[in-house]
Amino acid sequence: EAGVVQSPRYKIIEKKQPVAFWCNPISGHNTLYWYRQNLGQGPELLIRYENEEAVDDSQLPKDRFSAERLKGVDSTLKIQPAELGDSAVYLCASSLRGANYGYTFGSGTRLTVV
Amino acid sequence: TQLLEQSPQFLSIQEGENLTVYCNSSSVFSSLQWYRQEPGEGPVLLVTVVTGGEVKKLKRLTFQFGDARKDSSLHITAAQPGDTGLYLCAGGGNMEYGNKLVFGAGTILRVKS
């Protein structure tokens, strides 16, 4: 069974440019999460989807970040415009039964804004 | 301030030594999970503990959930270079934070051969 697939693995962009990350969760996992992990820190939740509905986006900086999960499967996270402080690893995870049963993470996208 | 405090932040030991890392909180969690993350990869789930006082063993790794479900520990016996990585604890089911995992900052473990 394929795991959570993310692309691209690495992205380097200049500040003020847009960038998008893509995630394909494990088949059948209704819940999808986007996390951001800064160097030396644990992941922090940006947004959580139940099927196609964003049920927790309280930590998503909505002035520049947006996300969508059309048809309740794949998801895209976008930043426009990117700032230097957005440099981090963006992790996508999915789960079948929620927070108490563990998540499966993708390998992440390492974003560098210069 | 982190909801989950992990200690130590960094640990460098020789192959064959034992070690314990800690995850502490002032909040109660329904579950506590441990993940290991290698450079350039996402975290991989090692174990989930859900009952206060629960102890789980996974080969040379022993996980314990505190009686009050506020803290946990991970003990590794006879560490090997392959154990090197970032160990993250994560709490789930905290009423204040809803149905999402909250992560600690992690413990970086380096095992030298």
Side-chain angles (χ1 to χ4, degrees), chain B residues 57-77:
Chain B
K57 293 190 175 183
L58 184 65
K59 297 183 180 178
R60 295 177 294 100
L61 279 59
T62 302
F63 306 86
Q64 185 163 8
F65 200 10
D67 291 341
R69 291 185 289 134
K70 293 182 178 181
D71 55 84
S72 180
S73 64
L74 159 60
H75 182 79
I76 301 179
T77 302

PDB file of all heavy atoms in Angstrom, chain B residues 57-77:
ATOM      1  N   LYS B  57       6.146  -2.447  25.113  1.00  0.00           N
ATOM      2  CA  LYS B  57       7.510  -2.744  24.692  1.00  0.00           C
ATOM      3  C   LYS B  57       7.531  -3.052  23.206  1.00  0.00           C
ATOM      4  O   LYS B  57       6.676  -3.779  22.686  1.00  0.00           O
ATOM      5  CB  LYS B  57       8.081  -3.914  25.493  1.00  0.00           C
ATOM      6  CG  LYS B  57       8.295  -3.593  26.957  1.00  0.00           C
ATOM      7  CD  LYS B  57       9.081  -4.684  27.661  1.00  0.00           C
ATOM      8  CE  LYS B  57       9.372  -4.261  29.099  1.00  0.00           C
ATOM      9  NZ  LYS B  57      10.204  -5.249  29.818  1.00  0.00           N
ATOM     10  N   LEU B  58       8.526  -2.492  22.549  1.00  0.00           N
ATOM     11  CA  LEU B  58       8.724  -2.718  21.120  1.00  0.00           C
ATOM     12  C   LEU B  58      10.204  -3.025  20.947  1.00  0.00           C
ATOM     13  O   LEU B  58      11.033  -2.129  20.851  1.00  0.00           O
ATOM     14  CB  LEU B  58       8.327  -1.457  20.333  1.00  0.00           C
ATOM     15  CG  LEU B  58       8.378  -1.526  18.811  1.00  0.00           C
ATOM     16  CD1 LEU B  58       7.347  -2.513  18.303  1.00  0.00           C
ATOM     17  CD2 LEU B  58       8.126  -0.141  18.218  1.00  0.00           C
ATOM     18  N   LYS B  59      10.530  -4.323  20.992  1.00  0.00           N
ATOM     19  CA  LYS B  59      11.917  -4.780  20.928  1.00  0.00           C
ATOM     20  C   LYS B  59      12.727  -4.102  22.038  1.00  0.00           C
ATOM     21  O   LYS B  59      12.471  -4.339  23.213  1.00  0.00           O
ATOM     22  CB  LYS B  59      12.504  -4.534  19.544  1.00  0.00           C
ATOM     23  CG  LYS B  59      11.797  -5.322  18.443  1.00  0.00           C
ATOM     24  CD  LYS B  59      12.441  -5.113  17.099  1.00  0.00           C
ATOM     25  CE  LYS B  59      11.712  -5.921  16.045  1.00  0.00           C
ATOM     26  NZ  LYS B  59      12.290  -5.714  14.675  1.00  0.00           N
ATOM     27  N   ARG B  60      13.678  -3.256  21.719  1.00  0.00           N
ATOM     28  CA  ARG B  60      14.517  -2.628  22.738  1.00  0.00           C
ATOM     29  C   ARG B  60      13.933  -1.318  23.275  1.00  0.00           C
ATOM     30  O   ARG B  60      14.554  -0.654  24.110  1.00  0.00           O
ATOM     31  CB  ARG B  60      15.901  -2.356  22.146  1.00  0.00           C
ATOM     32  CG  ARG B  60      16.676  -3.618  21.776  1.00  0.00           C
ATOM     33  CD  ARG B  60      18.024  -3.289  21.117  1.00  0.00           C
ATOM     34  NE  ARG B  60      17.825  -2.636  19.809  1.00  0.00           N
ATOM     35  CZ  ARG B  60      17.907  -1.333  19.617  1.00  0.00           C
ATOM     36  NH1 ARG B  60      18.212  -0.518  20.609  1.00  0.00           N
ATOM     37  NH2 ARG B  60      17.729  -0.828  18.413  1.00  0.00           N
ATOM     38  N   LEU B  61      12.751  -0.954  22.821  1.00  0.00           N
ATOM     39  CA  LEU B  61      12.114   0.293  23.247  1.00  0.00           C
ATOM     40  C   LEU B  61      10.988  -0.005  24.228  1.00  0.00           C
ATOM     41  O   LEU B  61      10.172  -0.895  23.979  1.00  0.00           O
ATOM     42  CB  LEU B  61      11.547   1.039  22.034  1.00  0.00           C
ATOM     43  CG  LEU B  61      12.498   1.892  21.184  1.00  0.00           C
ATOM     44  CD1 LEU B  61      13.636   1.075  20.595  1.00  0.00           C
ATOM     45  CD2 LEU B  61      11.729   2.620  20.108  1.00  0.00           C
ATOM     46  N   THR B  62      10.961   0.729  25.328  1.00  0.00           N
ATOM     47  CA  THR B  62       9.900   0.598  26.320  1.00  0.00           C
ATOM     48  C   THR B  62       9.245   1.958  26.509  1.00  0.00           C
ATOM     49  O   THR B  62       9.926   2.944  26.783  1.00  0.00           O
ATOM     50  CB  THR B  62      10.442   0.099  27.667  1.00  0.00           C
ATOM     51  OG1 THR B  62      11.090  -1.163  27.478  1.00  0.00           O
ATOM     52  CG2 THR B  62       9.317  -0.059  28.684  1.00  0.00           C
ATOM     53  N   PHE B  63       7.930   1.993  26.368  1.00  0.00           N
ATOM     54  CA  PHE B  63       7.160   3.220  26.480  1.00  0.00           C
ATOM     55  C   PHE B  63       6.260   3.126  27.701  1.00  0.00           C
ATOM     56  O   PHE B  63       5.663   2.088  27.958  1.00  0.00           O
ATOM     57  CB  PHE B  63       6.298   3.432  25.237  1.00  0.00           C
ATOM     58  CG  PHE B  63       7.056   3.400  23.955  1.00  0.00           C
ATOM     59  CD1 PHE B  63       7.309   2.194  23.318  1.00  0.00           C
ATOM     60  CD2 PHE B  63       7.505   4.568  23.370  1.00  0.00           C
ATOM     61  CE1 PHE B  63       8.009   2.153  22.125  1.00  0.00           C
ATOM     62  CE2 PHE B  63       8.206   4.537  22.175  1.00  0.00           C
ATOM     63  CZ  PHE B  63       8.463   3.329  21.554  1.00  0.00           C
ATOM     64  N   GLN B  64       6.160   4.232  28.430  1.00  0.00           N
ATOM     65  CA  GLN B  64       5.286   4.250  29.598  1.00  0.00           C
ATOM     66  C   GLN B  64       4.439   5.507  29.577  1.00  0.00           C
ATOM     67  O   GLN B  64       4.929   6.596  29.272  1.00  0.00           O
ATOM     68  CB  GLN B  64       6.106   4.189  30.887  1.00  0.00           C
ATOM     69  CG  GLN B  64       5.243   4.092  32.138  1.00  0.00           C
ATOM     70  CD  GLN B  64       6.032   3.628  33.342  1.00  0.00           C
ATOM     71  OE1 GLN B  64       7.249   3.514  33.297  1.00  0.00           O
ATOM     72  NE2 GLN B  64       5.335   3.323  34.422  1.00  0.00           N
ATOM     73  N   PHE B  65       3.176   5.351  29.916  1.00  0.00           N
ATOM     74  CA  PHE B  65       2.246   6.462  30.040  1.00  0.00           C
ATOM     75  C   PHE B  65       2.024   6.704  31.527  1.00  0.00           C
ATOM     76  O   PHE B  65       1.774   5.751  32.270  1.00  0.00           O
ATOM     77  CB  PHE B  65       0.927   6.102  29.364  1.00  0.00           C
ATOM     78  CG  PHE B  65       0.037   7.261  28.980  1.00  0.00           C
ATOM     79  CD1 PHE B  65       0.473   8.577  29.045  1.00  0.00           C
ATOM     80  CD2 PHE B  65      -1.244   7.023  28.535  1.00  0.00           C
ATOM     81  CE1 PHE B  65      -0.335   9.626  28.666  1.00  0.00           C
ATOM     82  CE2 PHE B  65      -2.077   8.074  28.136  1.00  0.00           C
ATOM     83  CZ  PHE B  65      -1.624   9.371  28.207  1.00  0.00           C
ATOM     84  N   GLY B  66       2.135   7.932  31.975  1.00  0.00           N
ATOM     85  CA  GLY B  66       1.983   8.232  33.383  1.00  0.00           C
ATOM     86  C   GLY B  66       0.585   7.917  33.894  1.00  0.00           C
ATOM     87  O   GLY B  66      -0.383   7.932  33.132  1.00  0.00           O
ATOM     88  N   ASP B  67       0.496   7.633  35.187  1.00  0.00           N
ATOM     89  CA  ASP B  67      -0.785   7.271  35.788  1.00  0.00           C
ATOM     90  C   ASP B  67      -1.856   8.339  35.554  1.00  0.00           C
ATOM     91  O   ASP B  67      -3.035   8.024  35.345  1.00  0.00           O
ATOM     92  CB  ASP B  67      -0.616   7.054  37.300  1.00  0.00           C
ATOM     93  CG  ASP B  67       0.190   5.809  37.619  1.00  0.00           C
ATOM     94  OD1 ASP B  67       0.306   4.946  36.717  1.00  0.00           O
ATOM     95  OD2 ASP B  67       0.712   5.700  38.747  1.00  0.00           O
ATOM     96  N   ALA B  68      -1.447   9.593  35.596  1.00  0.00           N
ATOM     97  CA  ALA B  68      -2.386  10.697  35.433  1.00  0.00           C
ATOM     98  C   ALA B  68      -2.572  11.095  33.967  1.00  0.00           C
ATOM     99  O   ALA B  68      -3.294  12.059  33.670  1.00  0.00           O
ATOM    100  CB  ALA B  68      -1.920  11.914  36.235  1.00  0.00           C
ATOM    101  N   ARG B  69      -1.938  10.387  33.064  1.00  0.00           N
ATOM    102  CA  ARG B  69      -2.008  10.630  31.617  1.00  0.00           C
ATOM    103  C   ARG B  69      -1.554  12.045  31.251  1.00  0.00           C
ATOM    104  O   ARG B  69      -2.115  12.701  30.366  1.00  0.00           O
ATOM    105  CB  ARG B  69      -3.414  10.356  31.076  1.00  0.00           C
ATOM    106  CG  ARG B  69      -3.769   8.882  31.120  1.00  0.00           C
ATOM    107  CD  ARG B  69      -5.108   8.601  30.474  1.00  0.00           C
ATOM    108  NE  ARG B  69      -6.195   9.097  31.284  1.00  0.00           N
ATOM    109  CZ  ARG B  69      -7.226   9.790  30.806  1.00  0.00           C
ATOM    110  NH1 ARG B  69      -7.319  10.069  29.531  1.00  0.00           N
ATOM    111  NH2 ARG B  69      -8.187  10.191  31.615  1.00  0.00           N
ATOM    112  N   LYS B  70      -0.521  12.514  31.972  1.00  0.00           N
ATOM    113  CA  LYS B  70       0.041  13.829  31.654  1.00  0.00           C
ATOM    114  C   LYS B  70       1.485  13.724  31.169  1.00  0.00           C
ATOM    115  O   LYS B  70       2.049  14.722  30.715  1.00  0.00           O
ATOM    116  CB  LYS B  70       0.035  14.718  32.904  1.00  0.00           C
ATOM    117  CG  LYS B  70      -1.344  15.100  33.403  1.00  0.00           C
ATOM    118  CD  LYS B  70      -1.223  16.023  34.598  1.00  0.00           C
ATOM    119  CE  LYS B  70      -2.594  16.462  35.094  1.00  0.00           C
ATOM    120  NZ  LYS B  70      -2.468  17.394  36.261  1.00  0.00           N
ATOM    121  N   ASP B  71       2.082  12.539  31.274  1.00  0.00           N
ATOM    122  CA  ASP B  71       3.483  12.436  30.913  1.00  0.00           C
ATOM    123  C   ASP B  71       3.781  11.037  30.394  1.00  0.00           C
ATOM    124  O   ASP B  71       3.000  10.091  30.572  1.00  0.00           O
ATOM    125  CB  ASP B  71       4.374  12.745  32.120  1.00  0.00           C
ATOM    126  CG  ASP B  71       4.041  11.861  33.311  1.00  0.00           C
ATOM    127  OD1 ASP B  71       4.546  10.726  33.366  1.00  0.00           O
ATOM    128  OD2 ASP B  71       3.250  12.300  34.160  1.00  0.00           O
ATOM    129  N   SER B  72       4.925  10.929  29.736  1.00  0.00           N
ATOM    130  CA  SER B  72       5.328   9.648  29.164  1.00  0.00           C
ATOM    131  C   SER B  72       6.841   9.586  29.096  1.00  0.00           C
ATOM    132  O   SER B  72       7.523  10.621  29.135  1.00  0.00           O
ATOM    133  CB  SER B  72       4.733   9.491  27.765  1.00  0.00           C
ATOM    134  OG  SER B  72       5.099   8.259  27.182  1.00  0.00           O
ATOM    135  N   SER B  73       7.352   8.379  29.008  1.00  0.00           N
ATOM    136  CA  SER B  73       8.784   8.200  28.845  1.00  0.00           C
ATOM    137  C   SER B  73       9.047   7.124  27.801  1.00  0.00           C
ATOM    138  O   SER B  73       8.227   6.237  27.567  1.00  0.00           O
ATOM    139  CB  SER B  73       9.444   7.821  30.174  1.00  0.00           C
ATOM    140  OG  SER B  73       8.964   6.567  30.629  1.00  0.00           O
ATOM    141  N   LEU B  74      10.207   7.256  27.187  1.00  0.00           N
ATOM    142  CA  LEU B  74      10.686   6.282  26.204  1.00  0.00           C
ATOM    143  C   LEU B  74      12.068   5.839  26.651  1.00  0.00           C
ATOM    144  O   LEU B  74      12.964   6.679  26.802  1.00  0.00           O
ATOM    145  CB  LEU B  74      10.753   6.926  24.816  1.00  0.00           C
ATOM    146  CG  LEU B  74      11.666   6.278  23.762  1.00  0.00           C
ATOM    147  CD1 LEU B  74      11.255   4.841  23.488  1.00  0.00           C
ATOM    148  CD2 LEU B  74      11.648   7.098  22.483  1.00  0.00           C
ATOM    149  N   HIS B  75      12.222   4.555  26.876  1.00  0.00           N
ATOM    150  CA  HIS B  75      13.507   4.005  27.300  1.00  0.00           C
ATOM    151  C   HIS B  75      14.042   3.098  26.196  1.00  0.00           C
ATOM    152  O   HIS B  75      13.306   2.242  25.681  1.00  0.00           O
ATOM    153  CB  HIS B  75      13.344   3.209  28.598  1.00  0.00           C
ATOM    154  CG  HIS B  75      14.633   2.644  29.116  1.00  0.00           C
ATOM    155  ND1 HIS B  75      15.555   3.391  29.813  1.00  0.00           N
ATOM    156  CD2 HIS B  75      15.156   1.394  29.006  1.00  0.00           C
ATOM    157  CE1 HIS B  75      16.589   2.626  30.134  1.00  0.00           C
ATOM    158  NE2 HIS B  75      16.371   1.416  29.657  1.00  0.00           N
ATOM    159  N   ILE B  76      15.298   3.302  25.825  1.00  0.00           N
ATOM    160  CA  ILE B  76      15.936   2.454  24.824  1.00  0.00           C
ATOM    161  C   ILE B  76      17.072   1.701  25.494  1.00  0.00           C
ATOM    162  O   ILE B  76      17.950   2.321  26.140  1.00  0.00           O
ATOM    163  CB  ILE B  76      16.466   3.274  23.632  1.00  0.00           C
ATOM    164  CG1 ILE B  76      15.321   4.040  22.959  1.00  0.00           C
ATOM    165  CG2 ILE B  76      17.152   2.348  22.624  1.00  0.00           C
ATOM    166  CD1 ILE B  76      15.762   4.902  21.780  1.00  0.00           C
ATOM    167  N   THR B  77      17.055   0.409  25.340  1.00  0.00           N
ATOM    168  CA  THR B  77      18.099  -0.460  25.896  1.00  0.00           C
ATOM    169  C   THR B  77      19.113  -0.790  24.819  1.00  0.00           C
ATOM    170  O   THR B  77      18.735  -1.089  23.682  1.00  0.00           O
ATOM    171  CB  THR B  77      17.470  -1.759  26.428  1.00  0.00           C
ATOM    172  OG1 THR B  77      16.482  -1.431  27.413  1.00  0.00           O
ATOM    173  CG2 THR B  77      18.520  -2.665  27.045  1.00  0.00           C
TER     174      THR B  77
END
